[in-house]
Amino acid sequence: MHPLVFVGILFGPLVLVVSYLFTAATGPSVPPWADPVGEAIRFYGTVLAVIVGPAALHMDRIRLARESNWIPSPLYYLIGIPFLSLPISFIYLVRRLTGA
């Protein structure tokens, strides 16, 4: 699998989750730099998820078409939609690993 797929799909949402956890704590024990750092991490994660993720999916689809006899349908791009990503990615990976 193309390395950008991992960056855009796995790392982007992971950065979003970490940033929300980082900035969710409230109270006097939160350092003053926590909020700006959390916002910067959230912005970076959003950029990765929104821009790099779809580009990585498209590059992975093109690479797969070049290296095998199977070209994923355009429905493959639905992986980027929440709640559809799990079943579609499971079907896609099974088909990709079995070479069907």
Side-chain angles (χ1 to χ4, degrees):
M1 188 172 270
H2 199 276
L4 284 179
V5 172
F6 290 133
V7 171
I9 295 174
L10 299 177
F11 185 66
L14 179 64
V15 168
L16 287 173
V17 169
V18 169
S19 69
Y20 282 116
L21 290 175
F22 193 75
T23 58
T26 57
S29 63
V30 177
W33 51 266
D35 192 40
V37 169
E39 289 176 9
I41 292 172
R42 189 173 327 140
F43 176 74
Y44 179 70
T46 302
V47 168
L48 281 178
V50 171
I51 295 173
V52 176
L57 286 173
H58 181 69
M59 288 174 30
D60 183 54
R61 185 172 182 256
I62 291 172
R63 180 174 170 240
L64 183 62
R66 270 187 287 168
E67 295 177 0
S68 69
N69 295 329
W70 177 58
I71 300 172
S73 73
L75 295 176
Y76 166 68
Y77 296 117
L78 294 176
I79 287 177
I81 298 175
F83 301 111
L84 287 178
S85 61
L86 289 176
I88 291 174
S89 61
F90 177 75
I91 292 168
Y92 166 73
L93 286 175
V94 167
R95 185 153 184 200
R96 182 176 181 164
L97 294 175
T98 59

